[in-house]
Amino acid sequence: LMIRRPPRSTLDRSSAASDVYKRQVGGTWSMTQSEALFERAQTRIPGGVNSPVRAFKAVGGTPRFMERSDGAYIFDADGNKYIDYVLSWGPMIMGHNHPQVRDAVVQTAQDGLSFGCPTEIEIELAERLCDLVPSLEQVRMTSSGTEATMSCIRLARGVTGKDKIINITGCYHGHVDSLLIKAGSGVSTFGLPDSPGIPKDLAQHTVTVPFNDIDAFENTYKSIKDDLAAVIIEPIAGNMGFIPGEIEFLKILREATSACGAVLIFDEVMTGFRVSLGGAQEIYGIQPDLTALGKVIGGGLPVGAFGGKREIMEQLAPSGPVYQAGTLSGNPLAVAAGTCLIQRLIELNPFEELELNAKFLLNGIKEVMIQKGIPFVSNQIGGMFGFFFAEQQPRNFEDVVETNDKNFEQFFKQSLDQGIYFAPSKFEAGFISTKHSASVLINVLSKIQAL
Ligand code: HOZ
């Protein structure tokens, strides 16, 4: 069934945007549709977007308003087609608008959109997650990754009876009060390492340590281990660009938390079902006590989940005293989409191929940059990747800050003009899908060679 939008000329406009609209019907077309929509959006939506990085502030220019997507492509309101390396910030690992995932959602919707009661498909998804992710024995669904990490923190504090959290600088765990201290992603993009609105009394319980810095961790750990509830980390960071954790650093976190009875939390919202079927913890062979998931496990619908050892998870209400809940948690449409996508991933196990394709892309870009004399480094694992305009691979947030902003901005804009959509901030990671075939990659590289 095709639902057609009314022609633009009949759309009802708010007063502040009506000037924009008049200019359009007057036939001058002095603005693109994206520009007009952005102007209109800013009247009723703060900054014109529902999540800050989308506003293109770090790179300048107008965010493109999207209308539809298919496979490796997204299409904007002006009819432009882009090869997409953001992929809804990760979930679309088998391409946009995957027919089987879409069918699973449509079919599930025939029977109802939400019940606020348990359903069998929630058990199936929980079983699948526990089978695949090494450290999971029990799992609880949420509606976003932010809720998942927030719940991990509460549970860690609840089971340990302690308050202090070690958070790693540049890691981003959603906009959770306790975790927005020197965080990555949008907060770094906008230079807001400590957001207003977080009570000092709460912030004082979060201590930050640089990524991959064993000495700094050990010093901090020694001074607070008796009060330590949890250490939380993205084992492969995807919110200060893409930086894999170093195995020695992750091992130290595991040993130290076990030694003092604190909870080790891996935020695998990005890396779960993105770098391998078992996530980063499978790649490193390190099992956290709790894991936060999101993105791919919802197939593109709003979703999150957290899970871990049975003895910790059973402390959650209703089996235990730590309260956590959600009206739309385990929503049937999100669960159906996620279960279907995970099933396709199990059948295809595309992670090696995704990594080879990402590497091919990045090597191609590097050759172009070498010819131009522009320092460029890159990295990739499974279907996630990143690049920096720098001489050396950054190891932590402080290194990322030093990478070249001007070169990033120029590359981003030129690529966008050529129909290649990379994340609009150097603090974000890139994503590739099974639909980014050899011919798509060759097309991208020929465009980049012409930049
Ligand atoms: N949290 C995402 C960045 N890591 C941004 C999500 C969005 O803007 O849609």
Side-chain angles (χ1 to χ4, degrees), residues 123-167:
I123 316 172
E124 277 165 26
L125 181 56
E127 287 170 349
R128 199 67 49 87
L129 296 177
C130 292
D131 286 347
L132 294 168
V133 182
S135 68
L136 298 190
E137 291 175 2
Q138 287 200 340
V139 68
R140 163 87 35 105
M141 300 300 297
T142 62
S143 298
S144 69
T146 291
E147 280 177 72
T149 56
M150 179 184 79
S151 305
C152 286
I153 295 296
R154 181 174 311 139
L155 185 53
R157 285 177 166 150
V159 297
T160 59
K162 296 175 181 170
D163 288 337
K164 290 257 185 271
I165 304 290
I166 294 184
N167 188 18

Side-chain angles (χ1 to χ4, degrees), residues 51-54 89 172 185-186 238-239 270 295 428:
S51 191
V53 180
R54 297 178 197 178
W89 303 94
Y172 175 73
S185 185
N239 286 291
M270 275 185 163
K295 301 203 190 259
E428 301 292 346

Side-chain angles (χ1 to χ4, degrees), residues 249-388:
F249 182 66
L250 296 174
K251 275 186 183 163
I252 297 277
L253 301 190
R254 177 63 285 178
E255 285 160 19
T257 43
S258 298
C260 74
V263 175
L264 178 63
I265 304 167
F266 275 6
D267 179 346
E268 297 229 43
V269 170
M270 275 185 163
T271 51
F273 298 92
R274 243 300 154 192
V275 295
S276 83
L277 276 177
Q281 56 194 266
E282 181 179 61
I283 291 175
Y284 287 97
I286 296 175
Q287 294 202 11
D289 303 304
L290 290 177
T291 300
L293 294 167
K295 301 203 190 259
V296 173
I297 66 160
L301 273 72
V303 99
F306 65 103
K309 289 185 182 153
R310 181 181 305 276
E311 77 244 31
I312 299 180
M313 291 301 289
E314 282 188 339
Q315 294 304 310
L316 278 178
S319 49
V322 180
Y323 196 72
Q324 189 278 336
T327 298
L328 293 173
S329 297
N331 171 266
L333 304 191
V335 167
T339 308
C340 176
L341 184 54
I342 289 171
Q343 189 54 38
R344 302 284 84 75
L345 286 173
I346 294 171
E347 287 159 12
L348 201 67
N349 207 339
F351 298 95
E352 226 177 284
E353 193 185 328
L354 289 174
E355 185 167 329
L356 280 175
N357 287 344
K359 200 167 182 172
F360 182 75
L361 167 76
L362 295 163
N363 285 345
I365 301 175
K366 186 165 189 161
E367 268 176 40
V368 174
M369 294 303 149
I370 288 173
Q371 277 162 22
K372 292 177 187 265
I374 297 176
F376 180 90
V377 291
S378 62
N379 210 339
Q380 67 289 311
I381 300 178
M384 243 176 123
F385 68 85
F387 55 83
F388 296 102

Side-chain angles (χ1 to χ4, degrees), residues 391-440:
E391 301 278 357
Q392 276 182 356
Q393 203 62 251
R395 290 180 61 230
N396 56 35
F397 179 74
E398 292 72 14
D399 293 346
V400 175
V401 171
E402 294 303 315
T403 64
N404 193 300
D405 290 307
K406 276 269 157 285
N407 288 343
F408 178 85
E409 182 187 323
Q410 195 180 22
F411 177 74
F412 169 82
K413 281 183 173 154
Q414 289 179 341
S415 301
L416 194 70
D417 287 346
Q418 291 297 317
I420 308 165
Y421 194 101
F422 288 112
S425 162
K426 70 174 185 177
F427 293 103
E428 301 292 346
F431 300 94
I432 192 165
S433 84
T434 55
K435 292 290 191 281
H436 289 70
S437 58
S439 64
V440 171

Side-chain angles (χ1 to χ4, degrees), residues 20 38 55 76 87 110 179 194 233 307 347 413:
V20 171
F38 192 41
D76 75 12
L87 294 172
Q110 314 280 359
L179 303 174
D194 307 293
I233 185 169
E347 287 159 12
K413 281 183 173 154

